[in-house]
Amino acid sequence: MGRHRGSNADDYALDSRRRANRRRRRRGTGRALAAFAAALALLIGLGVTGYFVLDGRFGCTSSSRSLHVAAAPEIAPVLTRLAEDFNASDTAKDRCVTVEVRGADSADVAYSITGAGPTMGGTDSQVWIPDSTLWVKTVQRDAGDDDTIVSTGTSVARSPLVLVTTKDAVSDAESEDAPLSWSDLVPTEAISSQETAPYQVHVIDPVHSSAGLATLALVSNMVNREEGAQTRFIAALQNLQKSIAPDEEAAFTLLSEAADGESAAPLLVLSEQAAWRHSTRTGSTVYVIYPEDGTYTLDYPYVLRTNDPEVQLAAEDFRAFLTSRTAQEVIRADGFRSADDSIDPAVLTEEHGFRPEHPGELPAPGEQAAKSLIQAWNQLKLGTRLLTVIDISGSMAELVPGTGLTRMQVTTMAATQGLTLFPGNAEVGLWEFSVDLDEGRDYRELVPIRPLDADVNGATQHETLTAALAQLAPKPDGDTGLYDTILAAYQELTETYAPDRVNTLLVLTDGNNDDYDSITLEELLKELGEAYQPDRPVSIIAISFGPDVDPEPLERIAEVTRGAAYTTEDPTEIGEIFLSAFALRISGTSADEEEE
């Protein structure tokens, strides 16, 4: 049977329970819908709020991201002003980013990344704007795996290198009939002719300056087109090191101290912007000269040092801002050229020698070339400690054909002129040798090793050496006590070794060892081999001349000490040969390798 309906009361009670259940279900559903709606509203509210916060409408004080920019000190001030404008722009607000610019020496940043040189620290940044791509090339070659160095191919400013002097001195340095070129500026002969030149070129230490490093590159490119390029380049470096300035301020001091009527007008190799900045800051009347064969340009590249995509987006926004027409006008007003090489003629004025057209671009060195240039400069700059021993045997009285001079006279003249190749802090001493000169010894000390600028009884060491060389005279019928002299001189240098200098024994002789009471060649080679220490190297450079010289003994002697031996029939070549020896020391090759 089917189920019978109950009483009305029961039906009412049942209906009441059903309605109550439906209300509970509706209230539960309503509460769930209300909770969902509230959550949705909260999410939407948070999203909208987040949008407004990120959009800058409610401000980015608590959530803004800083973009740290390390820029070359001379361009940092104008970039700081432009960063303030950028930070106030809608783009910065949209990204919620604040750009912070600080000055950082370009070399300091490069060395902090590569560890290849001295650094002051505190060089981290997400964007790097050095003064030259030279540093970027060096860094990209030697950076570690964890370092990000991404060149954007953008220059935010440009400033070609020029010659900076004073208005009073410019007429002495340049004329319309004889415009200056790089080949005129840096002597590349073994003996500098600067004493008679109307100008003196000064560069800032290339280890810390793009202008100085670029100057080395320009000189290197110049001499590579000439015969004997390596030797001429070393001569050029030696001449430049005589007039080195540690920094830009010191370089400009040379201009302010230049006296009227000075025989050599000072010429500084600096950028256009550096000349303008100095003139603006000091009110001095600097004048710039453009070498006729072109120049190198500081190009202020925009480099990324981050892999963070959001930071890269912010960096790209700032890069676009800096290359905008308005920003480039501001950069030109600060003495730079814009990326298209345009100038502000009201800033870089003709009155100070500035020209609106670019002087012509010379090729920049590659990363390996830049590294090699710095290495060569550092090795040559390393202090010299040199003991020169000169043969005064009887044969040194013979005439050198075609000169009217004796071998002794030619040798001492070359040695005297060679002293001019060294800076004042170079330590140089002098011995003479033949046989039985000093209590049975074949050698005699004439001048102890001292710095060339040291005071010696009211004269300098340089003057003392010059006087001693002038008084050298051959010993009549004197033989050549070569081996005993070399051993004694080598022992002197090893016992008094100076770790901060290049310790070298220079032997100048016209003959072979003919002292039969001396040690033998094999004994000498054994002694030298045992005395030579790779971590405290003392090298022998031997130069022999004359038609009867056997070159083999000196070649073996030099080889044992990682030195070099040269033989020539013309003593007038001594100066060039000595420079070749320095070139080998810098390049790290041997004399045999050079001949090959």
Side-chain angles (χ1 to χ4, degrees), residues 412-467:
T412 56
M413 287 174 60
T416 301
Q417 291 176 329
L419 290 175
T420 65
L421 297 174
F422 299 102
N425 64 353
E427 298 179 356
V428 182
L430 177 65
W431 289 10
E432 62 181 358
F433 73 94
S434 178
V435 290
D436 296 328
L437 292 182
D438 186 11
E439 298 180 355
R441 289 190 290 264
D442 292 343
Y443 50 87
R444 177 165 48 211
E445 181 183 70
L446 299 179
V447 182
I449 300 175
R450 287 184 290 242
L452 289 177
D453 56 7
D455 179 79
V456 183
N457 300 322
T460 65
Q461 173 79 346
H462 191 148
E463 293 168 337
T464 303
L465 286 166
T466 300

Side-chain angles (χ1 to χ4, degrees), residues 503-557:
N503 298 256
T504 306
L505 172 60
L506 173 63
V507 181
L508 300 175
T509 180
D510 76 336
N512 306 305
N513 182 74
D514 53 13
D515 179 4
Y516 299 105
D517 292 329
S518 75
I519 62 173
T520 66
L521 175 61
E522 297 303 324
E523 290 172 335
L524 174 61
L525 293 175
K526 183 176 183 294
E527 293 273 3
L528 293 176
E530 293 175 351
Y532 181 81
Q533 302 177 48
D535 59 340
R536 293 168 58 88
V538 176
S539 297
I540 295 176
I541 296 176
I543 303 176
S544 56
F545 42 88
D548 302 322
V549 173
D550 179 5
E552 183 182 359
L554 287 176
E555 289 172 356
R556 295 178 64 188
I557 289 169

Side-chain angles (χ1 to χ4, degrees), residues 246-280:
D247 51 40
E248 191 176 280
E249 183 177 354
F252 279 119
T253 300
L254 296 171
L255 287 185
S256 62
E257 293 178 349
D260 292 339
E262 186 181 20
S263 58
L267 291 178
L268 313 181
V269 182
L270 294 169
S271 70
E272 282 180 333
Q273 201 273 343
W276 170 85
R277 179 165 22 93
H278 177 73
S279 177
T280 302

Side-chain angles (χ1 to χ4, degrees), residues 77-89 92 99-101 318 321:
V78 66
L79 294 185
T80 298
R81 298 195 300 271
L82 288 171
E84 292 172 354
D85 294 340
F86 175 81
N87 293 338
S89 68
V99 175
E100 298 177 1
V101 178
F318 189 52
F321 180 83

Side-chain angles (χ1 to χ4, degrees), residues 200-381:
Q200 171 66 62
V201 177
H202 300 270
V203 298
I204 300 177
D205 191 343
V207 175
H208 303 287
S209 164
S210 296
L213 180 55
T215 302
L216 297 192
L218 292 169
V219 172
S220 177
N221 290 338
M222 173 188 69
V223 300
N224 279 338
R225 300 190 294 266
E226 304 173 357
E227 185 178 354
Q230 191 178 52
T231 299
R232 295 174 70 82
F233 180 60
I234 299 305
L237 292 190
Q238 288 176 317
N239 284 312
L240 284 174
Q241 287 190 352
K242 293 178 183 178
S243 54
I244 192 70
D247 51 40
E248 191 176 280
E249 183 177 354
F252 279 119
T253 300
L254 296 171
L255 287 185
S256 62
E257 293 178 349
D260 292 339
E262 186 181 20
S263 58
L267 291 178
L268 313 181
V269 182
L270 294 169
S271 70
E272 282 180 333
Q273 201 273 343
W276 170 85
R277 179 165 22 93
H278 177 73
S279 177
T280 302
R281 185 177 69 243
T282 64
S284 61
T285 56
V286 299
Y287 196 86
V288 302
I289 300 173
Y290 296 87
E292 66 168 350
D293 41 6
T295 189
Y296 179 73
T297 302
L298 304 186
D299 57 347
Y300 298 92
Y302 193 91
V303 180
L304 297 181
R305 295 187 60 190
T306 177
N307 284 322
D308 187 324
E310 292 187 26
V311 178
Q312 287 183 339
L313 286 174
E316 168 59 22
D317 290 335
F318 189 52
R319 185 200 66 81
F321 180 83
L322 292 181
T323 57
S324 66
R325 182 173 59 85
T326 301
Q328 290 288 291
E329 288 178 355
V330 175
I331 287 172
R332 284 195 296 268
D334 216 51
F336 294 95
R337 291 176 182 256
S338 50
D340 63 357
D341 280 320
S342 299
I343 69 167
D344 184 338
V347 176
L348 299 181
T349 63
E350 292 184 2
E351 175 187 1
H352 293 287
F354 294 108
R355 301 175 186 171
E357 65 275 8
H358 191 278
E361 192 79 43
L362 291 177
E367 63 273 15
Q368 182 56 48
K371 183 178 180 180
S372 297
L373 288 169
I374 293 176
Q375 182 182 28
W377 179 266
N378 281 337
Q379 289 184 332
L380 194 62
K381 187 175 65 174

Side-chain angles (χ1 to χ4, degrees), residues 581-594:
F582 269 85
L584 290 178
R585 189 188 80 192
I586 287 175
S587 65
T589 60
S590 68
D592 293 338
E593 289 171 336
E594 184 187 43

